[in-house]
């Protein structure tokens, strides 16, 4: 059985941490890079072997990436979790934060079900270099097309949302008082971007979340295709990227919880050290990446990533087919 050394783990960890959040497909790069390097790298870092530890190591790196997202968005997640608990306790949705957290949960359901049903079959059938190169090039075409066809949604005053309609008169944050007869205090704690995201309808949020299913194909970027879904619904680049990063966190963590235990099987003990080091590198690179991208998408577009994906995808296809 092949093994994975520390150098391989560090390089793949850096590649994973960057490509998971940049709209260029971490899975596609994880398949293509070893094949392009060749030699021992192609043997050690292959997903085709039933006893290869590469997939288990990649899962650990994915979890590290998700943890980096949790750290970066820590204050946001604390606020959203508190909003969820408040919504459950009152059995109502009364603030933008409460609505947003429910939208995130509902939008995660399609990819969660699809991942359980299709992930293994798709990886077995398509987790090879040539399909990954084709899908990477296709990913670039989709990113470019999304930029060409996007139509910003009309700017409208944002009030808190009840159900699927704006309710400007409703409170934005409810604070219980000790005196039941006293008027309810209202404090708006929602992030402006989250107020815009909370204005999405349930249908729009679920459709955006469902685009993540395409990321089960090696070469299609999870963050990229989710941003495309957001742009198609009229979101700004920075809001679409924020929604994509928030959506991806529970999906990656859930997949890790299911699969990381396999890394502790006796036959994988020799790669635990490299897996840990590679995961630390992946987490650090992911944190730097999300910090950069949240600023990048405030003023810039997907076009450079589209060009990169088409060039690398087609170039890899020509090289591998030659």
């Amino acid at each position: 059985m092949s093994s994975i050394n520390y150098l391989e783990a560090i390089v793949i960890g850096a590649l994973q941490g960057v490509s998971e959040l940049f709209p260029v497909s971490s899975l596609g790069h994880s398949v293509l890079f070893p094949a392009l390097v060749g030699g021992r790298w192609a043997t050690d870092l292959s997903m085709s072997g039933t006893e290869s530890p590469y997939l288990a190591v990649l899962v650990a790196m994915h979890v590290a990436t998700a943890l980096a997202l949790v750290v970066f968005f820590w204050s946001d997640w604390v606020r959203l979790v508190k909003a969820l608990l408040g919504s459950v306790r009152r059995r109502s949705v009364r603030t933008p934060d409460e609505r947003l957290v429910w939208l995130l949960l509902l939008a995660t359901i399609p990819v969660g079900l699809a991942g359980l049903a299709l992930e293994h079959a798709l990886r077995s059938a398509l987790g090879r270099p040539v399909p990954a190169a084709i899908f990477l090039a296709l990913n670039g075409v989709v990113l470019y097309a999304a930029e060409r066809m996007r139509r910003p949604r009309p700017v409208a005053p944002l009030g808190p949302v009840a159900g699927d309609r704006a309710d400007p008169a409703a409170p934005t944050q409810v604070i219980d008082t000790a005196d039941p007869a006293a008027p309810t205090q209202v404090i708006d704690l929602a992030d402006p971007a989250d107020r815009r995201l909370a204005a999405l309808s349930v249908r729009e949020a679920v459709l955006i979340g469902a685009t993540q299913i395409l990321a089960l194909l090696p070469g299609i970027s999870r963050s990229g295709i989710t941003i495309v879904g957001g742009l198609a619904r009229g979101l700004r680049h920075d809001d679409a990227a924020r929604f994509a990063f928030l959506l991806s966190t529970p999906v990656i963590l859930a997949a890790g919880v299911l699969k990381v235990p396999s890394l502790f099987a006796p036959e994988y003990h020799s790669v635990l050290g490299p897996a840990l080091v590679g995961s630390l590198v992946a987490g650090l690179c992911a944190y730097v990446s999300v910090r950069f991208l949240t600023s990048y998408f405030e003023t810039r577009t997907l076009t450079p990533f589209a060009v990169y994906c088409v060039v690398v995808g087609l170039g890899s296809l020509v090289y591998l087919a030659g």
Side-chain angles (χ1 to χ4, degrees):
M1 181 181 73
S2 63
S3 185
I4 298 176
N5 60 44
Y6 281 94
L7 176 61
E8 292 168 336
I10 290 171
V11 172
I12 293 299
L15 188 67
Q16 158 64 31
V18 172
S19 59
E20 178 66 37
L21 301 180
F22 278 69
V24 297
S25 178
S26 63
L27 182 55
H29 280 72
S30 298
V31 173
L32 281 174
F33 183 79
L36 294 174
V37 174
R40 178 177 174 179
W41 288 68
T43 302
D44 292 348
L45 308 178
S46 171
M47 295 186 187
S48 59
T50 56
E51 296 183 352
S52 172
Y54 185 41
L55 182 61
V57 172
L58 279 178
V59 170
M61 293 177 180
H62 273 75
V63 172
T65 301
L67 292 176
L69 286 173
V70 171
V71 171
F72 184 82
F73 291 109
W74 177 254
S75 61
D76 301 281
W77 279 115
V78 169
R79 193 183 73 249
L80 291 172
V81 169
K82 287 180 178 178
L84 176 63
L85 295 176
S87 177
V88 171
R89 178 171 56 85
R90 292 194 312 274
R91 299 182 182 179
S92 64
V93 179
R94 303 169 66 176
T95 74
D97 280 343
E98 290 174 359
R99 178 171 173 81
L100 176 58
V101 74
W102 281 112
L103 291 178
L104 289 169
L105 290 174
L106 292 172
T108 300
I109 292 174
V111 68
L113 296 176
L116 290 173
L118 301 174
E119 188 270 341
H120 178 73
L122 290 175
R123 177 175 54 82
S124 300
L126 301 173
R128 299 186 302 276
V130 169
I134 294 172
F135 283 119
L136 184 62
L138 181 60
N139 183 74
V141 172
V142 172
L143 296 183
Y144 184 75
E147 288 293 349
R148 296 288 294 177
M149 296 186 295
R150 69 178 294 262
R151 290 183 175 84
R153 68 196 293 140
V155 177
L158 285 178
V161 192
D164 274 336
R165 69 182 175 82
D167 183 7
T172 56
Q173 182 72 24
V174 178
I175 308 296
D176 293 333
T177 59
D179 182 2
T184 302
Q185 293 180 319
V186 178
I187 302 176
D188 185 0
L189 298 179
D191 181 272
D194 289 350
R195 289 175 61 80
R196 293 191 293 270
L197 293 176
L200 290 168
S201 69
V202 171
R203 179 176 177 274
E204 288 176 319
V206 172
L207 286 174
I208 294 171
T211 61
Q212 295 180 98
I213 295 173
L214 295 175
L216 296 174
L217 302 170
I220 302 297
S221 165
R222 181 192 307 277
S223 63
I225 202 65
T226 312
I227 293 172
V228 166
L231 294 179
R233 305 314 303 170
L235 293 180
R236 298 167 15 166
H237 285 85
D238 53 343
D239 290 345
R242 179 178 177 82
F243 198 57
F245 295 147
L246 290 174
L247 269 177
S248 66
T249 306
V251 174
I252 299 173
L253 281 177
V257 169
L258 290 175
K259 294 182 179 180
V260 161
S262 65
L263 188 61
F264 296 93
E267 60 268 29
Y268 295 154
H269 282 177
S270 63
V271 300
L272 286 178
L276 176 60
V277 172
S279 296
L280 291 174
V281 173
L284 178 60
C285 290
Y287 184 87
V288 174
S289 296
V290 70
R291 190 179 184 89
F292 168 78
L293 289 171
T294 50
S295 297
Y296 174 90
F297 282 119
E298 290 178 357
T299 57
R300 296 179 178 88
T301 71
L302 292 167
T303 301
F305 306 110
V307 174
Y308 169 85
C309 289
V310 171
V311 170
V312 173
L314 294 180
S316 298
L317 186 60
V318 170
Y319 177 83
L320 294 168

